[in-house]
Amino acid sequence: MRLRLTLIAACCLFTLAGRADEGMWMLGNLNKQTRETMKEMGLQMPASKLYSSKRPSLKDAVVSFGGFCSGVVVSEDGLVFTNHHCGFSSIQQHSTVEHDYLKDGFVAHSRSEELPNPELYVRFLLRQEDVTKRVLDIVKPGMDETERSNAIDSVMLVIGEEVSHKDSTLTGIVDAYYGGNEFWLSVYRDYNDVRLVFAPPSSVGKFGWDTDNWEWPRHTGDFSVFRIYADRHNRPADYSPDNVPYHPEYVAPVSLDGYHEGSFCMTLGYPGSTERYLSSFGIEEMMNNSNQAQIDIRGVKQAIWKREMDSRDSIRIKYASKYDESSNYWKNSIGVNRAVRKLHVLDKKRAMEQELRRWIQQTPGERERLLHLFSDLELNYKNRREENHAQAYFVESFLNGPELIQLSLSILNFDFEGEEKTVIANLKAIIEKYANLDLDIDKEVFTALLKEYRSRVEAQYLPELYQTIDTLYDGNERSYVDSLYARSELTTPRGLKRFLEQDSTYHIYDDPAITLGIDLITKLFEMNIRMQQASGEIIRNERLLNAAVRRMYASRNFYPDANSTMRLSFGTVCGYTPFDGAEYDYYTTTKGILEKVKTHAGDVDFEVQPELLSLLSSGDFGKYAGEKGEMNVCFISNNDITGGNSGSAMFNDKGELLGLAFDGNWEAMSSDILYEPKMQRTIGVDVRYMLFMIEKYGKAGNLIEELKMKTAPR
């Protein structure tokens, strides 16, 4: 039995470095073992061409896109490829019923037609530096978790600010790794003038919509094209008609050769967050609280939104971006909870933890420090269970629910003392929210969520507004909501205008929406206070667990959890077996689009314009066709990615662009917690399909001419 447990632990210890195709590796800390593994798997370019802080390298072609996605620079004039869903908000903001770029797509045939997006930026990584010693030197014996956190946060901020003080065009950010056991400084340069150049119609970029989201086989052309602009000295600059295309340090070449089963494939991007080191207690809490709250509450909200979006084009355009964002996390939560159960993730975690307990017991130094590690974790997760459950539903129901509450909190927290640029940006963001708000829909959502929250939590977690509903409105939630919206000045920009102009007849704190917002924030603060001690102990013990795992397997090549910093993952292009008797191939073609259109006739998620169907049916794919004359649409690899990797470049062994990562697969949705080598796949859109759409459908051959095409002699 002991041998069996040891083998289980060794194989499933978050399967860290158990397979060469697992891991989100830091480029600034790419050790010899990882470089050698990549070379053995087929990497042809030297590691020095992947990352260098002194010379142009592949990392200089990869950007953080807007802080929520990734992208890749593909031309000397700053063209950036990213996902359609990453550019979705920008496309939506430029769309109207008369010019419906979401439905019909967008093409800029000249630089003057490219559309600015003042809220959008791209971020280039310049270098990374280990600052662990400097950060942890400030931690003193006897500090509790709050004191430790405050001290560390202060020195992290100081180190980051030192960068911008030396060069105002740079941003320094210190991030925690390995649960707060290591700290690295990343130095970035941001460019704030980013313009929309090309977007396919949503029938391409979102083909399959919610139905196909997180699914394989996939046939979605999930891409869009933007361009970075700079001043005439190639330096960052806010939008100006005088700006010129940015000239990058490194341009990613584009491959027309495609891939085969077993082809080497690496992904470079900015994955958001993973919890590979999280304890089994933490996973249970995540499933039952935050995930389940998203499933329950967003399901109610989205059903209302979707009904109205399907009935009116004006609402579809207004709500498209926020529905897309909300539903993506909603379905993700469904998939994560399903995969955790189906793949027995908790059993595997508990087996690893049992082996760690044995090691602690048998190692004198560890036993003295960590004897109560797991009992403390279990106790503190239990102590905050009910409060954490209520808080998860509270946040989804109120802070992520009715948009009137979100608007009131944005206005309440408006900072007039910030930099002029920031103040203007925040003001524009609020105005944009008003532009995309329908009050009747929001009132229906608010009413439905009030009922849903009441049904999901104990009475002690109901905010005071429920007493108002029960006593003044006879328990009728809709009557309360109608009254609130009728009495508040913040339902339209008029109230915002009166506030900004400091209208003496309007007192912001007397507005019922503001009063409600304050009551809700106070309630949330009270929840946090009640959980404070347990939460502090959990943070501390999860950090100790993380460090103990690394000591127990000291010879392992560990990678840190994702934290929105640039990461490299690598592996191979390959299919998989989702269940007994089924085999999934490693690529899809346009034939699948035509088949799905017929199979799902009448379903708006699979509607495609007749002219596009005609183009795909012609079979005339030219230089973008694969070896069999078909048009590949998507492909899969066992690269290790997560949210934030959307738009990440997928490169071949020579560092040439094969496509863009845009999704994971349904069967391995628990991958943020545990990597499953037999199941986990990255779904990418084939760059040849992207180019075909740009040239043949968009008639934008001028963009094709900007690219550095690579093809091997045949």
Side-chain angles (χ1 to χ4, degrees):
M1 183 65 177
R2 171 67 188 277
L3 176 61
R4 178 175 179 272
L5 278 174
T6 302
L7 290 174
I8 290 174
C11 293
C12 77
L13 177 59
F14 324 115
T15 56
L16 289 173
R19 290 176 57 89
D21 50 16
E22 177 188 356
M24 302 179 191
W25 304 95
M26 294 172 59
L27 280 174
N29 190 30
L30 202 60
N31 60 35
K32 181 179 179 182
Q33 183 178 342
T34 306
R35 295 196 300 268
E36 289 179 349
T37 301
M38 294 178 71
K39 187 175 181 180
E40 290 168 3
M41 292 184 64
L43 178 64
Q44 299 295 310
M45 65 188 303
S48 60
K49 291 292 183 68
L50 294 175
Y51 170 89
S52 173
S53 60
K54 299 178 180 179
R55 295 178 297 277
S57 56
L58 191 60
K59 61 103 171 147
D60 296 314
V62 175
V63 297
S64 171
F65 187 84
F68 51 83
C69 274
S70 303
V72 57
V73 182
V74 291
S75 87
E76 297 287 356
D77 283 335
L79 275 185
V80 173
F81 286 170
T82 189
N83 286 155
H84 183 268
H85 75 262
C86 294
F88 199 78
S89 177
S90 297
I91 301 166
Q92 180 258 330
Q93 288 176 21
H94 291 295
S95 295
T96 63
V97 174
E98 295 76 22
H99 299 286
D100 193 344
Y101 300 139
L102 289 176
K103 181 179 179 181
D104 303 324
F106 171 78
V107 185
H109 290 289
S110 66
R111 302 277 168 86
S112 62
E113 295 178 359
E114 296 174 358
L115 300 177
N117 306 279
E119 80 293 344
L120 193 57
Y121 71 95
V122 296
R123 168 166 287 177
F124 289 89
L125 173 67
L126 304 186
R127 63 182 176 87
Q128 291 181 313
E129 177 187 342
D130 186 356
V131 293
T132 302
K133 185 179 185 304
R134 182 176 173 188
V135 172
L136 292 184
D137 276 350
I138 205 169
V139 177
K140 306 302 179 185
M143 281 184 170
D144 63 23
E145 198 60 33
T146 300
E147 292 169 334
R148 182 186 192 275
S149 178
N150 290 338
I152 285 176
D153 287 347
S154 65
V155 74
M156 289 169 66
L157 184 63
V158 167
I159 294 172
E161 289 178 341
E162 289 173 353
V163 172
S164 55
H165 287 161
K166 291 179 181 178
D167 184 339
S168 62
T169 70
L170 301 183
T171 298
I173 299 177
V174 178
D175 296 286
Y177 295 79
Y178 300 107
N181 290 298
E182 286 188 18
F183 298 86
W184 285 70
L185 167 68
S186 295
V187 177
Y188 302 103
R189 179 170 281 127
D190 296 349
Y191 286 80
N192 301 314
D193 188 352
V194 183
R195 306 183 195 180
L196 177 63
V197 176
F198 181 93
S202 291
S203 59
V204 173
K206 294 287 290 183
F207 182 75
W209 291 82
D210 281 347
T211 306
D212 271 9
N213 194 19
W214 304 105
E215 302 280 356
W216 182 260
R218 198 70 173 273
H219 300 82
T220 308
D222 197 346
F223 78 97
S224 57
V225 185
F226 290 76
R227 191 187 304 278
I228 309 168
Y229 279 77
D231 68 15
R232 295 191 178 277
H233 301 286
N234 210 39
R235 295 176 304 199
D238 293 334
Y239 169 78
S240 168
D242 297 328
N243 286 348
V244 296
Y246 166 70
H247 302 303
E249 292 286 325
Y250 192 100
V251 174
V254 176
S255 173
L256 295 182
D257 291 333
Y259 38 79
H260 303 282
E261 182 94 26
S263 293
F264 179 85
C265 180
M266 59 183 174
T267 305
L268 265 180
Y270 286 80
S273 64
T274 55
E275 297 285 359
R276 298 275 172 84
Y277 295 88
L278 188 64
S279 68
S280 60
F281 311 108
I283 296 172
E284 281 189 293
E285 181 181 83
M286 180 194 302
M287 292 174 63
N288 296 331
N289 296 348
S290 58
N291 284 4
Q292 197 59 48
Q294 286 196 7
I295 294 167
D296 295 333
I297 302 300
R298 294 192 184 198
V300 172
K301 176 178 67 176
Q302 290 164 195
I304 297 170
W305 284 358
K306 188 68 163 61
R307 183 196 69 213
E308 297 301 316
M309 290 169 66
D310 288 346
S311 66
R312 291 176 283 170
D313 282 341
S314 59
I315 297 300
R316 173 180 54 80
I317 293 171
K318 279 186 176 183
Y319 278 72
S321 180
K322 53 194 173 190
Y323 179 88
D324 183 63
E325 180 180 356
S326 177
S327 64
N328 190 51
Y329 286 100
W330 167 75
K331 190 170 182 180
N332 177 276
S333 293
I334 294 171
V336 169
N337 281 7
R338 172 188 174 276
V340 167
R341 296 184 181 102
K342 189 176 181 62
L343 299 177
H344 307 290
V345 170
L346 281 172
D347 290 339
K348 294 174 182 178
K349 282 281 188 175
R350 287 166 181 154
M352 181 281 298
E353 290 169 357
Q354 183 60 32
E355 187 62 19
L356 186 59
R357 289 175 198 246
R358 292 177 182 273
W359 176 76
I360 291 171
Q361 288 280 2
Q362 295 169 3
T363 310
E366 302 294 343
R367 185 170 64 246
E368 183 177 345
R369 284 191 298 173
L370 302 175
L371 181 61
H372 302 293
L373 174 63
F374 288 101
S375 59
D376 285 349
L377 274 169
E378 183 175 16
L379 175 63
N380 283 293
Y381 273 110
K382 181 180 179 180
N383 286 344
R384 78 173 189 185
R385 182 181 301 156
E386 288 188 9
E387 198 86 36
N388 185 268
H389 174 84
Q391 186 185 71
Y393 279 87
F394 185 93
V395 169
E396 283 298 319
S397 299
F398 300 115
L399 304 190
N400 292 336
E403 292 177 84
L404 177 60
I405 293 177
Q406 296 176 37
L407 280 164
S408 68
L409 293 175
S410 296
I411 293 169
L412 183 64
N413 293 318
F414 197 85
D415 181 13
F416 288 99
E417 305 302 322
E419 293 182 6
E420 181 180 357
K421 176 182 173 182
T422 303
V423 171
I424 293 173
N426 291 340
L427 183 58
K428 285 182 177 179
I430 293 175
I431 293 172
E432 186 69 27
K433 287 182 180 179
Y434 275 113
N436 293 318
L437 172 64
D438 183 283
L439 289 179
D440 289 334
I441 294 174
D442 201 47
K443 287 193 284 187
E444 185 177 354
V445 167
F446 200 168
T447 302
L449 296 190
L450 282 169
K451 295 177 180 178
E452 189 69 16
Y453 181 73
R454 191 197 289 264
S455 72
R456 296 289 180 178
V457 303
E458 299 294 331
Q460 69 193 81
Y461 299 114
L462 297 178
E464 289 184 8
L465 70 92
Y466 282 92
Q467 185 176 354
T468 302
I469 292 171
D470 293 340
T471 57
L472 299 183
Y473 297 92
D474 296 325
N476 189 315
E477 290 90 351
R478 183 56 192 252
S479 294
Y480 165 79
V481 170
D482 286 341
S483 174
L484 173 68
Y485 281 62
R487 290 181 294 116
S488 175
E489 287 286 317
L490 298 181
T491 53
T492 70
R494 179 173 178 269
L496 173 64
K497 184 172 183 290
R498 293 181 69 186
F499 168 61
L500 295 175
E501 292 177 349
Q502 299 182 343
D503 184 341
S504 62
T505 64
Y506 177 60
H507 303 289
I508 189 74
Y509 290 103
D510 292 335
D511 192 291
I514 292 292
T515 302
L516 175 58
I518 293 172
D519 289 345
L520 292 172
I521 290 298
T522 301
K523 185 71 172 179
L524 182 65
F525 177 75
E526 291 171 355
M527 290 180 173
N528 282 327
I529 289 297
R530 288 194 290 268
M531 292 190 292
Q532 186 174 20
Q533 183 174 351
S535 297
E537 288 299 310
I538 286 170
I539 292 170
R540 174 180 176 273
N541 286 312
E542 290 283 5
R543 182 177 69 252
L544 294 176
L545 171 63
N546 190 309
V549 167
R550 294 172 70 198
R551 291 197 300 274
M552 179 179 174
Y553 294 98
S555 62
R556 294 284 184 91
N557 188 16
F558 287 92
Y559 59 89
D561 268 320
N563 60 358
S564 297
T565 56
M566 184 184 285
R567 300 297 179 90
L568 165 75
S569 67
F570 59 92
T572 55
V573 175
C574 55
Y576 69 106
T577 301
F579 49 85
D580 185 49
E583 292 285 341
Y584 281 167
D585 210 344
Y586 63 94
Y587 69 97
T588 61
T589 71
T590 51
K591 291 180 180 179
I593 297 175
L594 303 177
E595 291 169 357
K596 284 183 175 179
V597 168
K598 291 181 180 179
T599 301
H600 297 276
D603 187 338
V604 294
D605 285 3
F606 295 90
E607 287 182 353
V608 177
Q609 290 90 333
E611 62 270 25
L612 181 55
L613 289 176
S614 177
L615 179 65
L616 298 180
S617 299
S618 71
D620 182 16
F621 304 121
K623 61 185 177 183
Y624 305 120
E627 291 182 352
K628 298 179 181 179
E630 299 175 317
M631 177 84 264
N632 287 23
V633 177
C634 298
F635 65 106
I636 52 175
S637 71
N638 56 15
N639 290 165
D640 193 357
I641 69 165
T642 189
N645 270 122
S646 292
S648 291
M650 300 180 74
F651 294 111
N652 64 14
D653 53 358
K654 300 179 183 66
E656 300 164 352
L657 190 66
L658 296 174
L660 301 177
F662 71 89
D663 217 346
N665 59 318
W666 186 246
E667 297 84 5
M669 293 294 289
S670 57
S671 61
D672 283 357
I673 303 166
L674 183 69
Y675 182 83
E676 293 285 351
K678 292 183 179 179
M679 285 289 182
Q680 187 168 334
R681 294 296 180 268
T682 290
I683 303 174
V685 56
D686 194 306
V687 73
R688 294 170 296 182
Y689 183 58
M690 295 163 52
L691 302 182
F692 174 77
M693 281 295 162
I694 292 171
E695 181 176 343
K696 301 299 183 182
Y697 184 78
K699 311 298 183 186
N702 56 305
L703 301 180
I704 302 297
E705 292 174 1
E706 290 190 40
L707 309 179
K708 296 170 63 175
M709 300 286 199
K710 296 289 183 178
T711 183
R714 295 183 178 177

